[in-house]
Amino acid sequence: MERVYSQSGDRIESRLPVIVHRYGPFTRANHWLTAACLILLLISGLGFFHPWLYFLTDLFGGGQTARVVHPWIGVVLFVSFLGLFFRMVRLNLPRREDAVWIENVREVVAGKEEDLPELGKYNAGQKFVFWAMTVLIIVLIVTGFMMWQRYFDGLVTIQVRRIATMVHAIAAVLIILTWILHVYAAIWTRGTLRAMTRGTVTGGWAWRHHRKWLRELARLDRKGPAE
Amino acid sequence: MTTAPEPLTAASNPPVEPLESNLLPSDVIRRSATTDLPEPTRQLTKVAKLIDVSRCIGCKACQSACIEWNDTHPAIEENVGSYTNPHDLTPEMFTLMRFTEWENPETNNLEWLIRKDGCMHCEDPGCLKACPAPGAIVQYSNGIVDFIHENCIGCGYCISGCPFDIPRISKVTNVAYKCTLCVDRVAVGQGPACAKACPTECITFGPKEEMQAFAEERIAELKTRGFENAGLYDPQGVGGTHVMYVLQHADKPEIYADLPADPRISPVVEAWKGVTKTVGLAAIGVMAVGAALHGFFGRPNEVTGRDREEAQRLVDEERP
Ligand code: SF4
């Protein structure tokens, strides 16, 4: 049977109680590497962003070191994010039910998901985070290279570099906002974090938030070879 | 030790006895990435270097004096097709004679324009505005803009900030360099090394007002010699500069190796350093506080017993 709403590797791990496997060890490691890079970039970048936050560069051993490591961490993040991107892009493509979800986002925030359409592995909010991160990371890496004085000082004219610097700053603010949204949603929706730590979620969580995904996995569980 | 006088000229020989610096830390009126700078207690005489382009003979004595005083070691380079050498300002070359062969369309004469390029010491310095490192760029109340290398982080933002393309970052020391207006000489009562070395009085140094008055005399003389567009280059877009040019053709500064006609801090830099920072920080703050409040006071989205039962039923149904 073809998978429509799930990723290869997603499966019902146990049936009593229902435990569902959501992310394998490789995806989780990939996610946490990206997260670590993002946080380091955020700290060093904020240090350059505003004089009030310059003290943050001390965490890296001073402004010079923060300036040296920031772009390299950015390169690592970019490569790491590529891994997540290619793994997750298929299930993050928009679908018709996303529009309904967005229209009823108030209900979601109020915790009343019951009347909304059943969803696959990701809801529209998660897809938004995915695509926002994708676009912003591309913008940040491209403008980042234009600003990378040490190795790319002649890459663009000074006027282009000014624009790149401003775009980089704006994109950085937007990615921080997206990041807060991402972290907050993962905490607010109880039972989500363990998908990225232990790799599994409870059946109740899957039924509540990603029913189509659960349905498909249950069906696969029946068709597939017994363990 | 007595304090050195503020220098009035570069022409006279300096005093030889040891003197205390006349520049105090409290004379700093602007400091990069610093918001709480104390009010200065006194105002130094504003100084300026005047470069009368019409008098320059292109001997490069100023360049040599600059190298000698600042103890820099510019690399020996290839000829780039003119007398300009090195090919550009570098971290080791703070001032550069730029040679332009210009054909005057009115007279059909070939004019050899030689402009001594280097930091203009803007009254409103874009480099300082762009700099993210506290204290890496300072401005004294006499108008001198100076890079403090131990605070510099080598990010290159000053390059984006400068309307004149002046700062250069060394690949060896990873800090930015430019003309200091010989702040270390001025502090002990001497004029800049280039002005001291200039054999034609093309470069003069002193209080800015005197330099402006002197420039007027020079311009008047140039006008009697037929340069009716002679004028002073002291661009107001950056609040005026503490390095000024007398130009034979002040109506077309661009012919002097692309001297900008109306330099100002780029609006992009202003927006980046202004509204982007404020709005950005505010947005991040609001979002973080909002999330925290919703987290503390809002109800979390929890899985219910019904969800659990339904899940169980679904899985059991699908696989009896
Ligand atoms: S010319 Fe450039 S480096 Fe010099 S003070 Fe002005 S902005 Fe700064």
Side-chain angles (χ1 to χ4, degrees), chain B:
Chain B
M1 242 195 288
T2 43
T3 305
E6 290 182 44
L8 299 176
T9 161
S12 63
N13 279 328
V16 285
E17 72 273 18
L19 293 171
E20 203 89 69
S21 165
N22 65 39
L23 271 183
L24 303 174
S26 58
D27 291 322
V28 170
I29 54 165
R30 276 203 184 100
R31 189 173 184 273
S32 56
T34 306
T35 39
D36 52 354
L37 196 66
E39 274 295 307
T41 46
R42 58 174 185 171
Q43 170 65 51
L44 297 172
T45 314
K46 298 238 182 233
V47 294
K49 181 160 81 182
L50 182 69
I51 302 168
D52 181 349
V53 174
S54 69
R55 275 190 175 184
C56 177
I57 55 170
C59 70
K60 299 184 185 171
C62 54
Q63 261 184 248
S64 303
C66 181
I67 291 168
E68 176 150 12
W69 176 256
N70 293 297
D71 197 18
T72 59
H73 301 85
I76 295 174
E77 296 188 349
E78 305 271 306
N79 186 304
V80 291
S82 84
Y83 278 93
T84 306
N85 172 31
H87 71 290
D88 193 10
L89 292 169
T90 72
E92 303 276 344
M93 191 71 260
F94 305 163
T95 190
L96 182 67
M97 314 308 300
R98 294 194 186 271
F99 294 77
T100 311
E101 287 159 28
W102 183 66
E103 219 179 287
N104 189 330
E106 277 156 37
T107 59
N108 268 338
N109 278 345
L110 185 76
E111 293 185 27
W112 208 19
L113 308 175
I114 311 166
R115 176 169 71 88
K116 177 187 182 296
D117 195 9
C119 175
M120 301 296 288
H121 296 270
C122 309
E123 184 69 26
D124 185 12
C127 55
L128 192 149
K129 173 156 257 167
C131 177
I137 306 181
V138 297
Q139 185 182 39
Y140 296 100
S141 64
N142 61 8
I144 295 180
V145 178
D146 199 19
F147 286 7
I148 311 296
H149 298 122
E150 57 262 37
N151 295 332
C152 176
I153 63 171
C155 64
Y157 286 8
C158 51
I159 299 173
S160 299
C162 176
F164 296 95
D165 184 17
I166 299 301
R168 294 291 183 270
I169 302 209
S170 163
K171 299 269 188 224
V172 182
T173 59
N174 292 305
V175 297
Y177 295 93
K178 68 164 189 69
C179 156
T180 66
L181 208 69
C182 282
V183 67
D184 44 354
R185 293 171 60 91
V186 172
V188 290
Q190 300 189 39
C194 55
K196 175 94 184 159
C198 179
T200 64
E201 273 188 14
C202 158
I203 310 173
T204 44
F205 176 83
K208 181 161 176 174
E209 279 178 14
E210 279 177 33
M211 291 298 108
Q212 281 165 322
F214 181 53
E216 287 315 316
E217 287 174 30
R218 291 290 311 143
I219 291 160
E221 199 212 302
L222 282 169
K223 286 194 169 151
T224 64
R225 282 167 44 196
F227 293 103
E228 60 222 34
N229 292 317
L232 180 66
Y233 185 82
D234 178 21
Q236 294 307 306
V238 291
T241 53
H242 293 268
V243 171
M244 305 181 294
Y245 293 113
V246 169
L247 302 177
Q248 307 94 319
H249 309 285
D251 56 327
K252 321 186 243 308
E254 320 81 47
I255 62 173
Y256 297 87
D258 294 323
L259 184 62
D262 184 20
R264 50 183 64 248
I265 301 178
S266 160
V268 181
V269 173
E270 302 268 16
W272 158 49
K273 281 287 163 178
V275 63
T276 311
K277 310 256 132 165
T278 337
V279 173
L281 272 194
I284 293 170
V286 166
M287 182 90 174
V289 170
L293 287 181
H294 193 251
F296 281 125
F297 299 113
R299 213 156 31 86
N301 187 339
E302 258 162 325
V303 176
T304 62
R306 181 172 156 255
D307 296 332
R308 256 185 298 269
E309 286 159 25
E310 293 282 1
Q312 198 66 55
R313 189 169 319 138
L314 179 105
V315 172
D316 290 343
E317 262 170 30
E318 294 290 346
R319 192 192 186 188

Side-chain angles (χ1 to χ4, degrees), chain A residues 134-148:
Chain A
T134 304
V135 171
L136 291 171
I137 286 170
I138 292 170
V139 170
L140 285 163
I141 190 107
V142 170
T143 53
F145 273 115
M146 295 178 180
M147 297 163 68
W148 199 348

Side-chain angles (χ1 to χ4, degrees), chain A:
Chain A
M1 195 176 109
E2 216 196 316
R3 287 174 184 266
V4 181
Y5 301 108
S6 63
Q7 198 88 56
S8 60
D10 298 354
R11 61 176 193 283
I12 308 282
E13 201 167 278
S14 94
R15 288 202 287 136
L16 208 85
V18 183
I19 300 290
V20 192
H21 188 87
R22 192 164 162 90
Y23 293 118
F26 181 79
T27 310
R28 278 177 277 154
N30 197 175
H31 171 266
W32 288 114
L33 173 64
T34 315
C37 289
L38 186 75
I39 291 167
L40 291 174
L41 283 166
L42 198 148
I43 296 171
S44 50
L46 281 176
F48 308 134
F49 184 65
H50 200 286
W52 294 343
L53 303 171
Y54 188 76
F55 69 91
L56 291 172
T57 59
D58 285 343
L59 299 172
F60 295 82
Q64 276 276 355
T65 346
R67 187 267 305 158
V68 171
V69 296
H70 182 92
W72 285 111
I73 303 172
V75 170
V76 176
L77 177 134
F78 182 74
V79 173
S80 176
F81 185 79
L82 275 185
L84 286 177
F85 178 84
F86 286 118
R87 178 135 188 96
M88 299 181 172
V89 63
R90 181 175 63 87
L91 294 180
N92 276 290
L93 295 172
R95 299 183 67 95
R96 189 165 315 132
E97 56 264 32
D98 294 331
V100 185
W101 192 92
I102 292 165
E103 270 170 35
N104 293 291
V105 72
R106 280 167 178 280
E107 305 285 305
V108 179
V109 176
K112 286 181 274 186
E113 279 167 82
E114 290 76 14
D115 310 327
L116 293 177
E118 299 190 354
L119 298 174
K121 188 168 182 176
Y122 299 111
N123 64 34
Q126 291 164 307
K127 289 180 185 179
F128 168 79
V129 169
F130 176 86
W131 288 109
M133 289 283 180
T134 304
V135 171
L136 291 171
I137 286 170
I138 292 170
V139 170
L140 285 163
I141 190 107
V142 170
T143 53
F145 273 115
M146 295 178 180
M147 297 163 68
W148 199 348
Q149 175 65 32
R150 188 67 180 80
Y151 304 107
F152 298 94
D153 49 345
L155 188 65
V156 292
T157 63
I158 291 173
Q159 180 56 23
V160 173
R161 180 143 92 174
R162 287 174 186 142
I163 297 166
T165 309
M166 186 166 85
V167 171
H168 196 84
I170 294 171
V173 168
L174 295 178
I175 207 167
I176 291 172
L177 297 180
T178 311
W179 175 73
I180 296 175
L181 178 71
H182 176 58
V183 172
Y184 182 70
I187 294 172
W188 179 71
T189 315
R190 297 291 195 271
T192 306
L193 282 178
R194 57 177 284 178
M196 268 303 166
T197 52
R198 276 177 276 178
T200 58
V201 290
T202 63
W205 185 92
W207 192 85
R208 184 178 175 83
H209 303 298
H210 302 284
R211 206 167 304 155
K212 268 192 199 165
W213 177 65
L214 179 65
R215 225 181 266 292
E216 179 168 289
L217 295 183
R219 219 170 282 146
L220 281 167
D221 194 40
R222 180 182 52 188
K223 293 247 173 109
E227 289 164 49

